[in-house]
């Protein structure tokens, strides 16, 4: 039941979605794999007007304080390369109303039916903290963990971000922050700060304030138009990001094929005919492909023709980066249009062969307010990703940039 007519009155809008939710609850969606997850009641769907105070009311994620599990109907997924978020791990899952399907797109975000829900939970592998005021967390450069649950004896949940497709077709973003007992999370539309201490493999420690974004901040990354309008779209669920295998409870399978087999994804041309982003952390893959994937998922949501960084003239999307015929668009010998810069020797967004003279490398390796990129969601440097981008700039054919 796709609702295409906009309901102007909030109460009518809420009532319509609530009616749809009741229908969804009575039906449920597809299973995450051939074996359904724990079911203590069907997943419930709300909109931004009826969003409950407790995450548990959605019945999407189930936690007893020892293990976090998906309810039946939620399908876990992962991305080939994911957004860096201060070394958090992520547990992602999709819910699609029974009888409905996601429409496949080769290049853009999949088209989800009304009533769909995407939940992304941010967590850290536990570590001993040197200060009880800070949550101790392991600093691991790239997550390889998959599965259909999270062991809370070994991991600490921080927040869960909910994206729900509402009755008028729009998406709403809702942030929830996990309680200390790890059994539930509270809706925090105004965001929150969490003190975290990262422990690296060399036993070095880094304390910082992790920021849970407020609901309005969704616009900064998920906006569909640089001129505003408040419309947002999910970023991760694209063919190139999701074309990979996933370790389900009953075995490993390509996750797009799994969705198609569950009748939740329509139009998949087959995994071999679907674009695929590189895993930026996989050194066996070509460096230009790794850099393109990293910049696409970390930067292109703003640095695009519809993003908030349009005025920069720097475009870092999958179909732009590494295009030799349009190298100026992705920064080669391009002077910044909207950033004063740190001064010499930084004159160009990318100075081929010279990461120490490239503004792009400078901004992703700094955390001060004036320089940090992305502008939200990062408070520490991603050393492993930064090193990869610097290596990519180093190997670019050197050119004499015009002054």
């Amino acid at each position: 039941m796709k609702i295409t007519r906009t309901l102007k009155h909030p109460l009518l809008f809420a009532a319509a979605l609530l009616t749809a939710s009741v229908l969804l609850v009575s039906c449920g969606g597809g299973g995450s794999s051939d074996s359904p997850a724990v079911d203590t009641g069907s997943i419930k769907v709300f909109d931004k007007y009826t969003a409950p105070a407790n995450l548990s009311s959605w019945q999407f994620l189930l936690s007893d304080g020892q293990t976090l599990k998906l309810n039946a109907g939620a399908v876990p997924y992962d991305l080939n390369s994911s957004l860096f978020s201060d070394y958090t791990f992520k547990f992602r899952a999709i819910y699609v109303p029974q009888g409905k399907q996601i429409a496949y797109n080769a290049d853009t975000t999949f088209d989800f039916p009304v009533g769909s829900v995407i939940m992304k939970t941010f967590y850290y592998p536990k570590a001993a903290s040197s200060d009880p005021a800070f949550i101790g967390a392991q600093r691991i450069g790239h997550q390889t963990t998959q599965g259909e649950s999270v062991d809370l004896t070994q991991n600490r949940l921080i927040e869960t971000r909910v994206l729900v497709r509402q009755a008028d077709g729009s998406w709403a973003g809702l942030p929830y922050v996990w309680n200390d007992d790890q059994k539930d999370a509270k809706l925090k539309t105004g965001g929150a700060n969490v003190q975290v201490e990262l422990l690296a493999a060399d036993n070095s420690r880094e304390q910082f304030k992790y920021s849970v974004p407020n609901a309005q901040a969704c616009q900064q990354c998920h906006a569909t138009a640089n001129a505003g309008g408040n419309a947002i779209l999910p970023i991760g669920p694209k063919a190139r990001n999701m074309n990979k295998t996933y370790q389900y409870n009953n075995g490993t399978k390509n996750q797009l094929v799994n969705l198609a087999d569950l009748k939740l994804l329509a139009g998949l041309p087959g995994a071999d005919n679907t674009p695929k982003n590189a895993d930026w952390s996989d050194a066996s893959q070509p460096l230009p492909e790794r850099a393109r994937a990293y910049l696409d998922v970390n930067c292109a949501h703003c640095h695009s023709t519809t993003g908030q960084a349009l005025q920069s003239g720097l475009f870092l999307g999958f179909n732009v980066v590494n295009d030799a015929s349009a190298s100026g668009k992705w920064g080669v010998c391009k002077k910044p249009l909207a950033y004063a810069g740190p001064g010499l020797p930084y004159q160009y967004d990318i100075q081929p062969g010279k990461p120490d003279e490239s503004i792009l490398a400078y901004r992703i390796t700094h955390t001060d307010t004036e320089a940090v990129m992305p502008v939200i969601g990062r408070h520490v440097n991603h050393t492993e990703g930064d090193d990869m981008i610097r290596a990519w700039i180093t190997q670019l054919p050197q050119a004499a940039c015009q002054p």
Side-chain angles (χ1 to χ4, degrees):
M1 179 181 65
K2 185 171 183 177
I3 302 172
T4 55
R5 181 170 59 89
T6 300
L7 298 178
K8 297 181 178 178
H9 193 289
L11 293 178
L12 292 176
F13 176 89
L17 187 56
L18 181 60
T19 300
S21 301
V22 170
L23 292 173
L24 294 173
V25 167
S26 67
C27 298
S32 58
S33 59
D34 293 339
S35 298
V38 175
D39 186 357
T40 61
S42 299
I43 290 173
K44 299 181 184 300
V45 180
F46 305 88
D47 68 358
K48 64 180 179 182
Y49 300 106
T50 60
N54 294 322
L55 183 65
S56 58
S57 296
W58 293 78
Q59 297 185 181
F60 190 110
L61 297 168
L62 310 173
S63 176
D64 59 4
Q66 298 295 307
T67 305
L68 181 72
K69 297 179 180 178
L70 297 174
N71 202 350
V75 185
Y77 72 99
D78 195 4
L79 306 180
N80 282 309
S81 287
S82 64
L83 177 73
F84 174 74
S85 305
D86 290 339
Y87 288 101
T88 53
F89 279 19
K90 291 154 187 170
F91 183 45
R92 305 174 181 83
I94 292 170
Y95 167 79
V96 178
Q98 187 178 38
K100 302 298 181 184
Q101 289 187 302
I102 304 165
Y104 173 87
N105 290 317
D107 295 323
T108 59
T109 299
F110 291 156
D111 186 10
F112 287 76
V114 165
S116 296
V117 181
I118 301 171
M119 287 201 184
K120 182 165 63 172
T121 298
F122 296 69
Y123 68 98
Y124 284 107
K126 290 181 178 178
S129 173
S130 65
D131 185 336
F134 288 79
I135 293 171
Q138 295 182 46
R139 180 184 180 278
I140 299 175
H142 184 62
Q143 177 183 355
T144 57
T145 306
Q146 295 183 326
E148 300 190 28
S149 63
V150 178
D151 180 358
L152 302 184
T153 67
Q154 302 297 318
N155 299 284
R156 174 62 158 82
L157 306 175
I158 303 296
E159 59 157 324
T160 293
R161 300 177 191 176
V162 178
L163 281 175
V164 55
R165 190 148 203 199
Q166 305 177 113
D168 65 350
S170 67
W171 287 91
L174 301 163
Y176 286 81
V177 178
W178 281 90
N179 299 336
D180 288 341
D181 66 9
Q182 302 283 275
K183 293 181 179 179
D184 206 346
K186 292 287 187 183
L187 179 63
K188 296 285 187 182
T189 55
N193 292 319
V194 180
Q195 296 195 113
V196 174
E197 181 180 81
L198 292 174
L199 176 63
D202 63 1
N203 289 324
S204 62
R205 296 179 182 273
E206 182 175 12
Q207 295 181 343
F208 70 100
K209 192 173 291 183
Y210 178 93
S211 295
V212 178
N214 63 54
Q216 190 61 31
C218 296
Q219 280 285 320
Q220 288 187 255
C221 295
H222 293 266
T224 59
N226 56 71
N230 295 323
I232 63 173
L233 272 179
I235 296 172
K238 297 172 183 169
R240 61 180 179 269
N241 293 331
M242 294 182 64
N243 187 9
K244 65 176 296 187
T245 57
Y246 196 90
Q247 182 63 52
Y248 301 102
N249 285 346
N250 60 350
T252 300
K253 191 175 185 179
N254 181 285
Q255 53 190 7
L256 292 178
V257 173
N258 183 53
L259 286 172
D261 288 348
L262 291 169
K263 310 300 182 188
L264 298 180
L265 176 63
L268 179 68
D272 292 342
N273 297 315
T274 298
K276 183 176 183 178
N277 247 347
D279 176 350
W280 71 265
S281 69
D282 184 352
S284 70
Q285 298 186 34
L287 183 56
E289 294 303 309
R290 294 166 60 202
R292 179 168 73 156
Y294 189 87
L295 294 172
D296 181 52
V297 78
N298 281 278
C299 309
H301 46 272
C302 284
H303 284 277
S304 69
T305 56
T306 57
Q308 294 200 355
L310 169 67
Q311 75 278 6
S312 72
L314 180 65
F315 304 111
L316 298 173
F318 181 80
N319 294 321
V320 180
V321 173
N322 291 330
D323 180 352
S325 65
S327 59
K329 289 185 177 180
W330 46 278
V332 173
C333 294
K334 175 193 161 304
K335 291 196 172 184
L337 302 179
Y339 176 62
L344 294 175
Y346 298 94
Q347 298 186 69
Y348 309 99
D349 289 335
I350 294 177
Q351 172 78 56
K354 299 179 179 178
D356 290 331
E357 298 181 15
S358 298
I359 292 172
L360 188 151
Y362 177 87
R363 299 196 71 177
I364 65 172
T365 55
H366 285 71
T367 56
D368 56 288
T369 304
E370 292 183 356
V372 64
M373 279 287 167
V375 294
I376 63 170
R378 186 173 73 81
H379 302 84
V380 299
N381 287 325
H382 187 199
T383 305
E384 299 81 3
D386 296 346
D387 289 347
M388 185 273 297
I389 290 297
R390 288 175 56 83
W392 168 64
I393 293 174
T394 300
Q395 60 83 52
L396 289 174
Q398 295 199 29
C401 298
Q402 299 299 312

